[in-house]
Amino acid sequence: MTKASAAQPPSRRRHDREIIALAVPAFGALVAEPLFVIVDSAIIGHLGTPQLAGLGVAAALLTTAVSIFVFLAYATTAAVARRVGAGDLASAIRQGMDGIWLALLIGAVVVAATLPLAPWLVEVFGASDTAAPYAITYLRISSFGIPAMLVVLAATGVLRGLQDTRTPLYVAIGGFAANGALNAVLVYGAGLGIAGSAWGTVIAQAGMAIAYLIVVVRGARRHGASLRPDVAGIRASAQAGAPLLIRTLSLRAVLMIATAVAARLGDTDIAAHQIILSLWSLAAFALDAIAIAGQAIIGRYLGADDAKGAREACRRMVQWGIASGVVLGLLIVLARPLFIPLFTADASVRDTLLPALLVVALSQPVAGVVFVLDGVLMGAGDGRYLAWAMILTLAVFAPVALLIPSLGGGLTALWWAMALMMVVRLLTLWLRMRSGRWIVTGASR
């Protein structure tokens, strides 16, 4: 044994191995998800500007609709992980099936609403007269894939709860490859245009959902878990997910307000804001991977009645969050000469972007802790507190951000307001973590 390994406590090494084993594949799967839209954009972009503009509007609507229901993954991960910790795999998979059935029900409702409302939704999002027909076509066809997308979320939660993040990575890679091939064949080979791209995405998403279901069904049969829908279980899954839905909606409101304020600042500011937001989202994938590991690990420890292990894992993940945030912040600063020219050649946009980008870099260590504690409390099933904490954060952020244009502030001031938002989240989550009230052991909270 080396001096370095001897100096490191065995529990810390164990936590590090668990975090790496879960976080690295989770990061790969998270990065693969937005590649669906990138591939669609690359293929549709060669058809013409109106088609690409239509895709942009429809994709934004679909992404919003699906991301709102991300609680299907989060709540399912926590519930399944608890039962894994308690040693009841049959109950864990049964809980996961309840989440999958809930995903199918929600998906059916969303499809039923999207089909007739598609023209109105496209109009609200401001699509031009030339882009609107393409947006409506893509949105209507792609909506048939929403149930599959939501099943993928819920089934991903099942596997994460079972401490398996490798299978979601493999499925995501397979889905990405299938989506690219299908788009090329249907758009150009079959001559279906933007409709072909939509159908390609639907088929790829359905294939991903089927792959997940095969894995879950095999696990259910192996452990004797029922696959039938259980009304009480589905209702319990919905109740557990409702606070996380409120949390997600509040967070989406923060991002929408920030974009609206940037738009009021002018074309240069909104262009720079979109670039920064893209980079901020990319950094969030890395931090969210640690949070996903936290959901699975904390849920398992609490299910096993190991409060001490949960505290130790939480402390170690916070350290990981701080370190990851520092590294990401440095990368943003050091790599800015490389990636900024990829986004814009406009000198005014660059000048506006740079000081705001430094604010983002400085706030990354704070973001690292926020993401980790968010994952820890989700893993603990502490959704109600997360909902109230995010509502409070929105209440602090909204007036500050909305006052920026009238006070003569610019994009840098807006991103200082975003940094303030992260600090408020940090304070609320840190207080909850220190209180210990999130530590509720047992197979269910």
Side-chain angles (χ1 to χ4, degrees):
M1 181 180 295
T2 65
K3 290 182 179 180
S5 62
Q8 193 178 49
S11 61
R12 179 176 294 186
R13 292 198 300 272
R14 184 180 72 250
H15 292 316
D16 287 345
R17 286 195 299 269
E18 289 179 336
I19 293 167
I20 292 171
L22 292 171
V24 172
F27 174 69
L30 289 170
V31 170
E33 291 174 9
L35 292 179
F36 274 80
V37 176
I38 292 175
V39 168
D40 288 3
S41 299
I43 291 175
I44 293 301
H46 292 286
L47 294 177
T49 299
Q51 289 91 331
L52 185 59
L55 171 66
V57 172
L61 286 164
L62 283 167
T63 301
T64 300
V66 174
S67 65
I68 286 173
F69 300 110
V70 73
F71 72 84
L72 290 165
Y74 295 159
T76 304
T77 297
V80 171
R82 274 185 176 269
R83 285 159 176 79
V84 169
D88 189 354
L89 289 177
S91 178
I93 296 174
R94 173 65 264 177
Q95 183 77 30
M97 285 304 306
D98 292 335
I100 290 173
W101 281 113
L102 177 62
L104 285 169
L105 290 173
I106 293 173
V109 172
V110 174
V111 173
T114 302
L115 289 174
L117 292 176
W120 177 78
L121 290 170
V122 168
E123 182 181 356
V124 167
F125 261 62
S128 66
D129 291 340
T130 54
Y134 297 108
I136 294 169
T137 297
Y138 190 93
L139 182 59
R140 279 181 166 160
I141 295 172
S142 293
S143 68
F144 290 108
I146 290 177
M149 295 179 196
L150 299 185
V151 166
V152 166
L153 283 178
T156 299
V158 176
L159 296 180
R160 288 173 181 170
L162 293 171
Q163 317 296 296
D164 175 11
T165 55
R166 289 182 179 273
T167 299
L169 172 61
Y170 300 147
V171 174
I173 292 172
F176 167 68
N179 181 61
L182 286 166
N183 268 259
V185 170
L186 295 176
V187 172
Y188 297 118
L192 296 179
I194 196 169
S197 177
W199 281 118
T201 300
V202 169
I203 295 169
Q205 292 288 351
M208 291 174 66
I210 291 170
Y212 274 116
L213 289 174
I214 289 172
V215 174
V216 174
V217 168
R218 284 177 177 172
R221 288 176 175 171
R222 187 182 310 121
H223 298 286
S226 173
L227 297 172
R228 295 179 181 179
D230 177 64
V231 175
I234 295 172
R235 186 185 302 115
S237 293
Q239 290 172 345
L244 294 180
L245 174 62
I246 294 171
R247 167 205 167 271
T248 301
L249 289 172
S250 300
L251 182 57
R252 295 293 301 182
V254 166
L255 298 177
M256 289 175 66
I257 289 170
T259 300
V261 170
R264 290 175 62 187
L265 295 174
D267 289 348
T268 299
D269 292 84
I270 186 62
H273 175 75
Q274 287 303 113
I275 294 171
I276 295 174
L277 195 60
S278 298
L279 295 169
W280 188 77
S281 299
L282 182 61
F285 283 136
L287 299 176
D288 204 25
I290 304 174
I292 287 169
Q295 294 170 30
I297 293 169
I298 294 298
R300 193 189 74 236
Y301 274 117
L302 294 178
D305 292 323
D306 188 354
K308 180 183 177 183
R311 289 192 183 93
E312 289 178 350
C314 176
R315 283 195 295 269
R316 189 56 181 158
M317 279 183 283
V318 167
Q319 293 169 357
W320 271 78
I322 294 171
S324 299
V326 170
V327 171
L328 287 170
L330 289 173
L331 283 175
I332 289 172
V333 172
L334 296 175
R336 68 187 189 281
L338 299 176
F339 61 73
I340 290 178
L342 297 176
F343 288 98
T344 181
D346 190 323
S348 61
V349 173
R350 292 187 185 185
D351 291 341
T352 303
L353 182 154
L354 280 172
L357 193 63
L358 292 177
V359 175
V360 174
L362 288 171
S363 66
Q364 286 306 297
V366 174
V369 179
V370 167
F371 274 76
V372 165
L373 293 181
D374 213 33
V376 166
L377 297 185
M378 284 183 190
D382 204 9
R384 184 168 296 181
Y385 181 84
L386 288 172
W388 283 111
M390 198 61 227
I391 290 172
L392 173 63
T393 301
L394 175 60
V396 173
F397 170 79
V400 173
L402 292 172
L403 282 172
I404 287 173
S406 59
L407 294 177
L411 188 66
T412 302
L414 174 60
W415 277 95
W416 276 118
M418 289 288 284
L420 171 65
M421 179 270 294
M422 296 302 291
V423 170
V424 174
R425 291 187 70 189
L426 174 63
L427 290 174
T428 56
L429 298 176
W430 185 264
L431 288 172
R432 186 64 167 183
M433 189 273 288
R434 290 297 300 270
S435 73
R437 294 179 182 175
W438 57 277
I439 300 177
V440 179
T441 59
S444 60
R445 184 177 174 86

